[in-house]
Amino acid sequence: VVNNLDVVKSKVVTVCPYCGAGCKINLCVENGKIVRAEGANGVTNQGELCLKGYFGWDFLNDTKLLTPRLNEPMIRREKGGKFEVVSWDEAISYTAQRLKEIKQKYGAKSIMHTGSSRGTGNETNYVMQKFARAVTGNNNVDCCARVCHGPSVAGLQQTLGNGAMSNSITDIENSKCLLVFGYNCADSHPIVARRVIKAKEKGAKIIVCDPRKIETARIADQHLQMNNGTNMALVNAFAHVLIEENLYDKNYVANFTEGFEEYRQIVADYSPEAVEKLVGVPAEDIRQAMRTYAAAPSATIMWGMGVTQFGQAVDVVKGLSGLALLTGNLGRPDVGVGPVRGQNNVQGACDMGVLPNEFPGYQSVTNPEIRAKFAKAWGINADDMDPNVGYRITEVPHLALEGKVKAYYIMGEDPLQTEADLGLVRKGFDALEFVVVQDIFMTKTAEQADVILPATSWGEHGGIFSCADRGFQRFGKAIEPKGNVKRDWEIISLLATEMGYPMHYNSNEEIWDELRELCPLYYGATYEKIGEMGHVQWPCPTLDHPGTPYLYKDNHFDTPTGKGQLFATAWRAPAEIPDEEFPLVLCTVREVGHYSCRSMTGNCAALQTLADEPGFVQMHPEDAQRMGICDQQILWVESRRGKVISRCNYNERINKGAVYMTYQWWIGACNELTQDNLDPVSKTPETKYCAVRVEPIIDQ
Ligand code: SF4
C-alpha cells in the first residue's frame, strides 16, 4: 500500500473523489499542473482505476471549463441582482451579519446547513456540523445521504445496530454467493464491480435482482428481472422461501435474533406463487434464488439506489438484513450486508455527524449525556443545544414554503440539480430569505445564491475520506489552488468567529484529533495510523486496535438487546403508478462517465468526450416502436411536475413499460419529472419511480 502523502516531486497519492470505492490515485504533477493519473496500490483498488479515476482531474488545471470555477467571494445584495466580487473580509462579515439577523428574528431553527459528501473531506464535515450545533444552535445539518443511502443507515441501525456495510470491499470477491439487489455496480462503482467479476471467477454464484439487464446480470447465474417498485414483495417472498423450505439457520435465529414469530407470520402471505405476477418473476426462479443463497457457505447481499430511492426504502433495507440474519450470513469474513455508498465521502459525511439526528460517531442528539459531552468539549452550555432531531434536506422546500426555514448554508451540494421535483425545490428556494453557497463551481444552486464562498477543490487540499466499507483513508494535496479561494473548514471557522464563537484550527490533524476524542468508534484511528496502514476501518476504539474489517463478530449486534432484529412488513405500491395519461415508469439511473451533478466530471475533457450527452431517455425498442418513436429521435418526456427534452435511446436491456434517465445532464434534468414522495423514516425521495409519457418533438 502506498502511504506517502507528501508531495513526492511530481507524484501525490490521493483518493479518487468520484465514488465510495475509495480507489487510491497517483496524481502526477508538472509545473503546478496535473498531467496524468495512475492507479496507486490502495487496499480497495490494488492499482486499478475506472475511467473517472483516470480522467477526472483536468478541471483542476482550469482549462476550457464549461462551468466557471468559483474564484472570488461574491455577494448579490438584492434578489435578482448581479453578483458583486468582494473581499473575503466583506463576504464573511456580510454573511455572518445576515445569519445573525435571521437567527435573531426567526430563531435558530430557521437556518439549515449542509455538509458535503464530495471532495472536501471528513475534517470539514466535522467542522460544519459543529457550526450548526454550536454556533447556529440547531441540528439542521444534513447531506446527500438523504437522497441516496439514508434508508440504509436508518434501516440497518434498527436491525443490526450500524448503518454501514458490515463487510469489506476486499471481502466481496471471496464470498461464495452475491445477491446483488437494485445495484448496478458497473456504472456506480466500477472497481467494486471488478470484485464481483473476481468472485465469479473464484466460483461464486451471482444472483441479480434488477428490472434492467445490467452488466452484472450478464455474468449472473440468475437474473430476476423484476418489475419496478416491487422490492418489498420480492424480499418478503425470499424470506417466505427460506422459512417454508427450511433453508434458514434455526440455531442462528434462536440464538442471535429476535422477532421471528411475527416475521414468519408476515412473510407467510408472500409465497412466490402469490407474488409472481406482481413482481414479474416466475415463482420457481424466486425459490431457486433462495436455495442458492442459503446453500452457499458464505453469502453477501449488496444493494444500491435501486433499493433506497423508494418511498418504502427503509422497510426493504430491514428486510434484506433479515435474509442475512435468517441464514447466519453476518459476523464473519466474506459474508454480510453491503449498502455500497455512492459518493466518495457520503460514508464520511455520515460518520462526521452531518446528520440531523446524530453527532459524529453516530451518537444521538436526543441523549442528554451525549449532548453534555459535546457541549463541554465545544465550550458551550449544554442547555443551549438543540435537544431535537433537526431538519432533512428533502424537507427544506416544504419548510421554506411554510416559512419555517429562512436561510440555507449549502456546502458542496447542488440541490437545484440533484433533488426530486425541481419545480418544488425552486419554489422553496424562492421563499428563502438568504442562501449561502460554498462550492468550487457555479452550479445551478450557486446561481441562486445571495453569497458565494469559493472553496478549494479535491486536489488542492488533503484530508481523510471514509470509503464505502468504513475505511478511513488519507488523501493528499497535489497542487496549489489558483483563485482567491479558501479551504472549506477555514471558511466555516471564519464565519463562526465572526458570529461570536471563536473557531481556529491550524491543520486537518488538529480537527481530526478533536473528533477522535469525542467518538469512541474512531478514537484509535489516529492520523499516523491511517497514514501507515493506508485504510483503517471503524470501529477502531483504542490506539493499538487495527480497525474492524467486518462488524458483529461473535454475532453480537449493536442493538439495545445485542440481537439482530428480524423485520418484515407488507409491500406498499409506489406513490404514483402509471395510468392512461402517463403510461410509463420513469426510473433515474447513473451514467458511468459522470458523477453526481456533473459539475466536476462535466468539466473534464476526456469524460466530456466519452459521455458527452448523458441526456438520453432509454426506451425498450418494442415500447418505442409501438409509439412510433425511432432510435435517437428527440422527445419530450413529461410527468405531472414537468417536461424536459431528451433523445430516445433504444435499449433492449431495459424492461418494457419503463424508461430510464440520468440526472447528470444540465438541460434535460430528469429531476424536473421526479416526485418527492418521501420514505416516512429516512425522508428519502422516490426518485426511482414516477409516471411519465413521451412524445416526439421532431418527426423523423
Ligand atoms: Fe475507483 Fe470509484 Fe474513482 Fe472509479 S470512480 S476510480 S471506482 S473510486
Side-chain angles (χ1 to χ4, degrees), residues 82 93 190 197 216 395 428 456 475 584 588 607 638 644 673 675:
K82 288 197 168 154
S93 89
I197 293 167
T216 317
E395 296 174 308
T456 52
F475 62 98
L584 297 164
T588 62
L607 297 176
E638 185 173 6
V644 298
L673 314 174
Q675 45 147 355

Side-chain angles (χ1 to χ4, degrees), residues 143-263:
C143 67
C144 70
R146 192 63 47 208
V147 294
C148 62
H149 271 294
S152 301
V153 178
L156 292 179
Q157 279 183 337
Q158 285 182 38
T159 55
L160 306 179
N162 280 293
M165 270 179 83
S166 72
N167 51 347
S168 298
I169 288 171
T170 49
D171 261 9
I172 292 167
E173 69 181 72
N174 298 318
S175 193
K176 293 299 169 204
C177 177
L178 298 177
L179 177 60
V180 181
F181 202 116
Y183 174 45
N184 183 8
C185 49
D187 280 2
S188 309
H189 305 85
I191 293 302
V192 174
R194 292 199 64 80
R195 300 275 179 187
V196 175
I197 293 167
K198 285 180 188 167
K200 175 75 179 176
E201 288 167 352
K202 291 181 180 180
K205 300 286 185 195
I206 313 271
I207 304 161
V208 169
C209 305
D210 202 295
R212 296 185 295 163
K213 291 180 187 128
I214 56 171
E215 285 295 314
T216 317
R218 290 163 60 148
I219 61 165
D221 296 271
Q222 258 195 289
H223 174 208
L224 309 190
Q225 194 171 11
M226 58 196 295
N227 290 331
N228 307 68
T230 60
N231 289 350
M232 194 74 235
L234 181 57
V235 172
N236 283 347
F238 281 162
H240 179 105
V241 174
L242 290 173
I243 295 169
E244 186 206 29
E245 297 193 12
N246 267 316
L247 301 170
Y248 71 105
D249 184 335
K250 291 170 201 65
N251 283 336
Y252 192 94
V253 168
N255 291 320
F256 305 119
T257 75
E258 288 176 336
F260 181 73
E261 257 321 298
E262 193 184 344
Y263 179 79

Side-chain angles (χ1 to χ4, degrees), residues 328-556:
N329 275 303
L330 286 158
R332 56 195 164 93
D334 310 329
V335 300
V337 290
V340 193
R341 307 300 292 261
Q343 300 210 28
N344 69 310
N345 200 37
V346 67
Q347 180 67 51
C350 295
D351 293 349
M352 295 302 108
V354 176
L355 293 169
N357 59 334
E358 283 169 332
F359 285 107
Y362 302 97
Q363 301 173 84
S364 174
V365 298
T366 60
N367 181 326
E369 286 171 21
I370 301 287
R371 281 202 305 280
K373 176 173 80 170
F374 278 88
K376 189 172 172 207
W378 293 345
I380 57 173
N381 187 339
D383 294 337
D384 293 340
M385 294 188 96
D386 186 350
N388 300 309
V389 171
Y391 299 147
R392 286 88 166 176
I393 52 175
T394 47
E395 296 174 308
V396 170
H398 300 278
L399 293 165
L401 288 167
E402 289 165 21
K404 291 182 180 159
V405 169
K406 295 286 185 183
Y408 202 174
Y409 180 6
I410 302 165
M411 177 179 73
E413 292 266 347
D414 188 10
L416 283 166
Q417 173 84 9
T418 58
E419 288 192 17
D421 191 357
L422 288 176
L424 170 71
V425 181
R426 278 192 294 272
K427 278 187 207 152
F429 267 70
D430 288 346
L432 292 167
E433 287 192 12
F434 188 53
V435 176
V436 183
V437 170
Q438 185 169 311
D439 211 312
I440 61 172
F441 281 112
M442 185 59 91
T443 60
K444 280 193 171 174
T445 306
E447 286 170 6
Q448 301 303 314
D450 298 289
V451 174
I452 285 181
L453 304 172
T456 52
S457 165
W458 165 83
E460 297 167 346
H461 56 237
I464 290 176
F465 289 145
S466 306
C467 60
D469 66 1
R470 299 170 281 105
F472 294 132
Q473 303 194 111
R474 285 169 64 180
F475 62 98
K477 169 180 173 177
I479 57 169
E480 289 300 326
K482 293 177 189 65
N484 185 16
V485 297
K486 289 187 188 293
R487 184 80 168 91
D488 280 306
W489 55 251
E490 188 188 350
I491 301 170
I492 303 165
S493 302
L494 288 169
L495 262 180
T497 305
E498 186 73 17
M499 289 177 74
Y501 180 89
M503 198 189 269
H504 301 287
Y505 293 108
N506 296 304
S507 67
N508 285 322
E509 191 168 355
E510 189 182 340
I511 300 168
W512 189 255
D513 285 344
E514 179 179 314
L515 162 88
R516 285 195 307 108
E517 291 287 341
L518 287 162
C519 299
L521 273 183
Y522 318 142
Y523 177 71
T526 61
Y527 239 67
E528 197 181 10
K529 187 189 287 183
I530 298 168
E532 278 171 9
M533 293 181 64
H535 176 261
V536 176
Q537 290 165 282
W538 62 259
C540 183
T542 58
L543 294 177
D544 57 359
H545 195 287
T548 306
Y550 62 89
L551 300 173
Y552 317 124
K553 193 163 181 238
D554 301 326
N555 299 305
H556 180 85

Side-chain angles (χ1 to χ4, degrees), residues 15-25 44-45 48-54 185 187-193 342 344 592 595:
V15 177
C16 178
Y18 293 123
C19 90
C23 301
K24 288 207 172 167
I25 299 178
T44 61
N45 67 312
E48 297 179 327
L49 297 175
C50 78
L51 65 94
K52 290 195 285 290
Y54 277 120
C185 49
D187 280 2
S188 309
H189 305 85
I191 293 302
V192 174
N344 69 310
V592 67
Y595 165 72

